[in-house]
Amino acid sequence: MFDAFAFLAIIILFVLLIDTRGRVKRAEKTLVEAAKRIGALQRDADTTAKYESAATLNVRKPAPKTAVSVRDEPAIAAAAAPLAAISVSGPEMQDMESATPPPAAVKKPPRKPAKTPAPPGPPRSLASRFENLFGKTLPIWAGGLTLAIAGVLIVRYAIDAGFFARVFTPGVQIVTGLLFGFALIGGAEYAWRNEAKLRDIRVPQALSGAGIATLYAAIMVAANAYHLIGPLLAFVALALVTAAALGLSLRFGPPSALLGLAGGLAAPAMVGAIEPNVPLLAVYLALTIAGLAGVAKARRWPWLALAALIGGVGWGLWMILASSVLDVLGSLSVGGFVLMLAIAVPMMSFEGPRSTLLRTGSAVVGALQLALLVGYAGFAPLHWGLFALIAAAGQWLAWRERDFAIVPTIGLLLSLALLAAWPDPTAFWFALVGLSLLAIHALPLLARLWVAPRDLRRTLEYCAIALAPVPLTKWHFWSIGDGGLALLALGGVLLAGAGIVRGWKVEGRTADGRFAWLTATGGALLVLAILLLVPLWMAPLGVALVAASLFFFGKTAHDGRIERIAAGFVGAAVVALVATPRALTELPRLVEGADAIDGQALLRWAGVSALAMLFALRAEGTIVRRIGQLAAALLAYGAFAQFVPSDALMLIPALGGTAAILGGRRVGFERVDAATAGFAALSLAWAALPIAAWATKALLSLTAMPMQFDVGILTAEPLLLRLLVPALLFGVPLWLVRNALPRWLWVAGLCLAGVVGGIAIHSLYRLGFAALAGDDFVATGIVQRLVWEALLIGIGWLALRQGMAGLARPLILAGTAHALLYGLVLHNPLWAAQAVGGWPLVNLLLPLFLLPWFGMIRVPALFAKAPATLGRIVQLVVMLLVAGFGWATLRQLFHGTLLATGGVTDTENILRSILLLALALGFLLWGIRSKHHDWRIASLMLMIGAAGKVFLFDASGLEGLARIGSFVALGFSLIGIGWLYSRQLAPGPGRAAPAPDS
């Protein structure tokens, strides 16, 4: 403990040193500034006197119009400035003008440099500063502190066994300590009165502080250690010492007060008050800190009050934790001490800009200490009463000054935490304490709830008070009945309603979010009460009733926020609908349908659906209205699912979407758009399985695997009910109302419906074709694809002729892409075994290549603003189609219906070379005629390919006439092609060479 006191002494000396150094620096700065100002004032006075004398001479005795002598120039120059500022008229002005020489004739004398103050002396060295600190400043304070410690040690030594203890009785020892303290104070007074001799104010300050600490220690030992005096006498003695400390501090300055603070707060520990008389110690500390606060207030030393408060907080915490059991008097003493530190001392001591922070911090710390006292002392009623006192004091502080608003907030949080942490409370005391704290916190909040300025924190605290009783009561009394909890919830509703009533006529209420918070709190508690009282299966209906009530209340209150709050309760009703045990039997019907009508289920789903419909039709906010539409659509489907069989249930979303789209022409599409989206989502959910199965088959077909419809979900009934009919029910109304919808919306809707319907039609076509012609891929694969592609391209062509380019584009592009990808790439009869027919030229090869050609040449007409590159791509594809058709026809002449059989005869090989040359010649002729440069380039490439084939392959594999024939054919072909090129490219008379087209 002595080490702690020494450490505290070092800190105090350091604070004094810093304070002294600061004061000296400020004094030096003030003296330097004063010297500068005095010198400036003296120079200004001398200059002004010279100006005034010169001006008087020039005005009264004007100089003649002669040249100015050199010795008069300084006077004229000095008088020029003040004369310029004087307003003169009449003859005097003429005299002055005549007396004033021209500027060229006046020579300004050089100005004398102003006298600057002497620079400060050289900076003090580190050695001199060290000598001043440890040789002049610290010893005096160390001496005073040593005397204070000596006084305490004298008293402490009286407790220990030894010679001093055997000689002096306890009474004599106490008297000796008191006399020593009084002697120190007398010495301080003597030093104060003889200041002229000592010339150092710190000597009386140190002596007085040591005397005060000694008196404190002597009285505490007499009361606690030797019990020589009773509590009443000790109280009187401590009061007298405190009064003396106050007077001496006012006389001798802050060092005495600081030493008195150190000695007074450390005295109980120094004399061995480890198990103190708590009431007496609390009274002593209270008087000590109050005296120090009084000194701080009188001399405006807030640091002294702050230090006293910190020490008091530490002692208060120690008294709470070190006392295992506090009786009534001890609890009251500690509670009163903490209340004084938290409220009285800060209010008395702190002023200025930081006073609010200090007072608030003190109040919060006091509340924390009393909360600790309540918890550590076993949540006794007395301690609850003390905590209620500081909670009420915090409310008084917040009422007195607005800056203390955080204090009641901390008090409320501590109250809730203590009530939650209360172990095994009885119902009576829990209700009494809870109602008392509720009144302390709620009533002031209710009174200030709508007082300017707006403060959302007060409203949130009020809402927390309304909500807290139910969970706290259930936490402590788990077996409480639902009726009791419902009553508590209704009490919270009344509390929130009181706040709503008080703010109903407040100006600007409709733009104030506090009203919405109160409404939401009341609605939540009302829902809780209803859920506790009604049967569980009616829970969603109860929540829906509250949501509807809030909706109409928001209309009456003209507050759009309440409408959004009510929408949140719609979501709560949906949660209650799907979270109850009944939902385990109701939710499966959403996909399975119902075999019989369930009245309760239908009532539940229909009731919540009607609530959502209310918001969909009557809500003013766009977001709330659309959420209501979506919820209404989904919940209405759920209601139908409770009595409609599964086959018919598939069509309910599509029928609902049709009704919503057609009804939009009457009520406005902004009133049905979200509902339509909800019904569309439900339809897509029903279509998800067949679409997924079809997509899986389609993806596998990209690997050249024939697409087989061998799963149950891709049969006629699911395709009709899940895909085709819903697509028509959505697509036809969208087409009918397209002029009333944004273009992007109806185009996107029709595309989605077209994709779904297209999947259904394709699947039904494949099923029908297989039923009629069989599913043998080799025998019917080409025919099956040709019919489908012809349908797509043909319908697209007809739509294009009718001017319906939007419908023609997807059909023609889809048919053409299908013909190219599946007919000529993945399942080309040249490498995939498929029957093309046994008749030459009259077989399936012509339509196989003709259909994609017919589609490709229509592509540029589908895109009027397409770049020229698209036309070149079309020409390239047509070239490939022509070449492929010729190659496949040649193959069919030698191999019949199956082109993918192996082996090539010599004749076929020669004819292939001739075919290449013929195609090259044909491409060239067509390119010349149509002026397409790309065809001529293709012709050259075919010619080069034919030549390479003959020289590299045919020449090595043929013999005799076959080899000769190959070379002859190649030679003539090359000659013919060259001649044609020469005629085409050589310019004739009167025409230039044709430029290559692009």
Side-chain angles (χ1 to χ4, degrees):
M1 188 61 69
F2 180 77
D3 295 338
F5 189 75
F7 178 71
L8 178 62
I10 293 173
I11 293 177
I12 293 172
L13 289 176
F14 179 75
V15 173
L16 289 174
L17 176 61
I18 296 300
D19 180 71
T20 303
R21 289 173 59 85
R23 291 173 182 269
V24 172
K25 288 184 179 179
R26 290 195 295 271
E28 291 178 355
K29 185 177 180 181
T30 304
L31 289 176
V32 172
E33 291 180 354
K36 291 181 179 179
R37 291 181 181 178
I38 292 172
L41 290 174
Q42 289 178 352
R43 290 193 300 271
D44 292 342
D46 294 341
T47 305
T48 304
K50 292 179 181 179
Y51 285 166
E52 290 179 353
S53 60
T56 304
L57 292 173
N58 287 329
V59 172
R60 292 182 179 179
K61 298 177 181 181
K65 300 179 180 179
T66 57
V68 181
S69 62
V70 177
R71 62 184 179 183
D72 296 332
E73 291 178 0
I76 295 172
L83 287 175
I86 300 175
S87 177
V88 183
S89 61
E92 295 180 358
M93 185 65 185
Q94 297 175 1
D95 294 339
M96 291 176 63
E97 291 176 354
S98 63
T100 304
V106 179
K107 296 182 179 179
K108 296 183 179 180
R111 294 182 179 179
K112 296 181 179 181
K115 294 182 179 181
T116 58
R124 299 169 61 187
S125 64
L126 180 62
S128 62
R129 293 181 180 179
F130 180 83
E131 182 181 8
N132 179 70
L133 176 61
F134 288 94
K136 179 181 178 182
T137 305
L138 288 183
I140 294 177
W141 302 124
L145 184 61
T146 303
L147 290 175
I149 297 174
V152 176
L153 290 179
I154 288 173
V155 180
R156 177 68 178 271
Y157 185 75
I159 303 174
D160 300 330
F163 174 77
F164 189 74
R166 290 193 298 268
V167 173
F168 293 98
T169 63
V172 174
Q173 295 169 4
I174 296 301
V175 171
T176 303
L178 292 174
L179 291 176
F180 181 71
F182 285 126
L184 290 175
I185 295 174
E189 183 63 23
Y190 176 80
W192 176 266
R193 292 179 182 275
N194 295 275
E195 183 183 357
K197 296 180 180 180
L198 295 176
R199 296 181 181 179
D200 199 331
I201 191 61
R202 293 169 292 181
V203 174
Q205 291 173 346
L207 292 174
S208 65
I212 292 169
T214 302
L215 293 177
Y216 280 142
I219 296 172
M220 287 299 298
V221 169
N224 276 351
Y226 296 134
H227 304 287
L228 297 177
I229 57 176
L232 180 60
L233 183 58
F235 174 80
V236 174
L238 290 173
L240 292 175
V241 174
T242 302
L246 176 61
L248 293 174
S249 300
L250 294 174
R251 184 175 183 83
F252 297 128
S256 298
L258 190 57
L259 289 173
L261 167 69
L265 291 179
M270 293 298 294
V271 298
I274 303 303
E275 294 182 0
N277 184 342
V278 172
L280 183 60
L281 179 60
V283 172
Y284 160 71
L285 291 172
L287 291 175
T288 302
I289 294 172
L292 293 169
V295 172
K297 176 69 174 180
R299 298 300 296 271
R300 296 188 179 183
W301 296 334
W303 54 268
L304 180 61
L306 180 60
L309 279 177
I310 293 174
V313 169
W315 272 110
L317 185 62
W318 183 82
M319 284 189 289
I320 294 172
L321 298 178
S323 301
S324 57
V325 178
L326 289 174
D327 56 5
V328 175
L329 184 58
S331 299
L332 289 176
S333 302
V334 175
F337 176 68
V338 173
L339 286 172
M340 184 197 75
L341 293 182
I343 307 299
V345 173
M347 294 298 296
M348 179 179 66
S349 304
F350 300 132
E351 294 179 354
R354 297 183 180 179
S355 61
T356 301
L357 178 62
L358 294 174
R359 294 175 183 177
T360 302
S362 301
V364 171
V365 171
L368 289 171
Q369 283 191 313
L370 285 183
L372 182 62
L373 176 63
V374 173
Y376 195 78
F379 296 87
L382 175 61
H383 305 131
W384 275 116
L386 293 173
F387 183 79
L389 283 178
I390 198 169
Q395 294 290 347
W396 174 76
L397 283 176
W399 171 80
R400 185 175 180 269
E401 295 186 28
R402 189 176 59 197
D403 295 332
F404 290 98
I406 191 62
V407 176
T409 303
I410 301 298
L412 174 60
L413 294 177
L414 290 175
S415 299
L416 296 176
L418 286 174
L419 287 173
W422 193 351
D424 300 326
T426 63
F428 172 77
W429 283 111
F430 183 80
L432 181 60
V433 172
L435 289 175
S436 300
L437 292 177
L438 184 145
I440 290 173
H441 292 292
L443 294 180
L445 284 173
L446 181 61
R448 301 193 306 269
L449 196 59
W450 298 99
V451 177
R454 297 178 180 177
D455 190 358
L456 180 60
R457 181 172 56 190
R458 288 199 295 259
T459 304
L460 295 179
E461 293 175 14
Y462 190 78
C463 294
I465 293 172
L467 293 169
V470 174
L472 286 175
T473 304
K474 188 65 175 177
W475 171 256
H476 288 296
F477 307 99
W478 188 258
S479 60
I480 187 174
D482 292 341
L485 287 178
L487 288 177
L488 288 175
L490 291 176
V493 173
L494 293 178
L495 197 61
I500 293 172
V501 171
R502 279 188 55 81
W504 185 262
K505 295 184 179 180
V506 173
E507 185 178 358
R509 173 185 57 76
T510 57
D512 195 337
R514 297 176 294 175
F515 195 82
W517 276 102
L518 292 171
T519 304
T521 302
L525 290 171
L526 185 58
V527 165
L528 179 59
I530 292 175
L531 293 180
L532 291 171
L533 295 175
V534 302
L536 187 58
W537 71 270
M538 294 185 64
L541 299 179
V543 180
L545 180 62
V546 175
S549 301
L550 290 177
F551 178 79
F552 290 110
F553 177 71
K555 295 285 187 182
T556 305
H558 303 288
D559 192 340
R561 297 178 181 86
I562 300 178
E563 181 180 278
R564 295 192 288 272
I565 293 172
F569 280 92
V570 175
V574 174
V575 172
L577 183 66
V578 299
T580 54
R582 286 190 55 89
L584 297 176
T585 60
E586 295 171 358
L587 291 177
R589 295 176 183 175
L590 299 179
V591 294
E592 298 174 359
D595 298 330
I597 299 177
D598 187 342
Q600 290 184 356
L602 180 59
L603 181 61
R604 283 157 47 88
W605 287 86
V608 182
S609 176
L611 172 67
M613 185 67 69
L614 172 66
F615 282 80
L617 297 177
R618 297 289 303 277
E620 296 179 359
T622 303
I623 296 177
V624 174
R625 185 174 62 246
R626 284 178 172 162
I627 292 176
Q629 294 176 33
L630 181 61
L634 300 178
L635 293 169
Y637 168 78
F640 277 101
Q642 305 309 313
F643 66 92
V644 175
S646 60
D647 293 341
L649 188 61
M650 299 178 187
L651 299 177
I652 294 297
L655 293 173
T658 302
I661 295 172
L662 295 178
R665 292 187 296 182
R666 192 175 190 87
V667 299
F669 286 99
E670 70 279 359
R671 295 281 181 178
V672 298
D673 50 1
T676 305
F679 285 124
L682 289 172
S683 290
L684 289 175
W686 276 108
L689 286 178
I691 289 177
W694 182 90
T696 302
K697 298 289 186 179
L699 290 174
L700 292 176
S701 70
L702 294 178
T703 63
M705 181 182 296
M707 194 171 181
Q708 300 293 333
F709 289 77
D710 52 0
V711 293
I713 196 65
L714 293 178
T715 55
E717 183 177 354
L719 292 172
L720 287 172
L721 297 179
R722 294 173 181 247
L723 298 181
L724 184 58
V725 175
L728 292 175
L729 289 176
F730 276 100
V732 173
L734 279 174
W735 179 258
L736 295 177
V737 300
R738 64 187 183 280
N739 295 328
L741 294 176
R743 178 176 176 81
W744 69 268
L745 182 59
W746 68 264
V747 168
L750 287 177
C751 289
L752 183 59
V755 169
V756 175
I759 292 174
I761 293 174
H762 176 261
S763 302
L764 292 172
Y765 163 76
R766 290 295 303 272
L767 292 173
F769 187 91
L772 295 176
D775 55 357
D776 185 2
F777 176 76
V778 175
T780 63
I782 295 179
V783 177
Q784 177 263 319
R785 291 195 303 274
L786 287 176
V787 174
W788 176 247
E789 294 157 3
L791 288 174
L792 292 177
I793 297 176
I795 297 174
W797 177 69
L798 293 176
L800 183 62
R801 297 197 59 177
Q802 297 297 322
M804 294 183 290
L807 178 61
R809 289 191 189 100
L811 292 175
I812 293 178
L813 291 178
T816 305
H818 191 277
L820 291 173
L821 178 62
Y822 287 97
L824 300 179
V825 177
L826 297 177
H827 301 301
N828 195 311
L830 289 172
W831 51 77
Q834 295 174 98
V836 298
W839 292 86
L841 298 179
V842 184
N843 51 47
L844 296 178
L845 289 177
L846 183 60
L848 184 64
F849 287 90
L850 188 61
L851 270 178
W853 168 81
F854 185 81
M856 286 301 300
I857 62 174
R858 298 294 182 275
V859 170
L862 299 176
F863 304 97
K865 298 181 180 180
T869 306
L870 179 61
R872 301 187 66 180
I873 294 174
V874 171
Q875 295 297 324
L876 177 61
V877 174
V878 171
M879 296 177 201
L880 294 176
L881 291 174
V882 172
F885 174 73
W887 195 275
T889 300
L890 178 63
R891 184 73 173 170
Q892 195 272 341
L893 291 175
F894 287 90
H895 295 274
T897 186
L898 294 178
L899 310 183
T901 56
V904 178
T905 62
D906 293 342
T907 305
E908 182 182 0
N909 196 15
I910 295 175
L911 291 177
R912 285 180 177 180
S913 302
I914 295 174
L915 175 64
L916 291 176
L917 294 173
L919 289 174
L921 181 59
F923 282 11
L924 177 60
L925 294 175
W926 179 253
I928 294 172
R929 180 177 179 180
S930 61
K931 298 181 180 180
H932 283 164
H933 183 250
D934 295 333
W935 287 84
R936 300 199 297 269
I937 297 300
S939 165
L940 291 177
M941 296 179 65
L942 287 173
M943 182 179 62
I944 294 172
K949 180 179 179 300
V950 169
F951 281 100
L952 296 177
F953 299 101
D954 295 349
S956 61
L958 298 178
E959 294 180 358
L961 295 177
R963 176 184 297 180
I964 295 172
S966 297
F967 279 97
V968 170
L970 177 61
F972 280 111
S973 299
L974 293 176
I975 293 172
I977 293 173
W979 176 75
L980 289 174
Y981 260 100
S982 63
R983 285 180 56 87
Q984 175 64 25
L985 299 179
R991 63 186 178 97
D997 63 337
S998 60

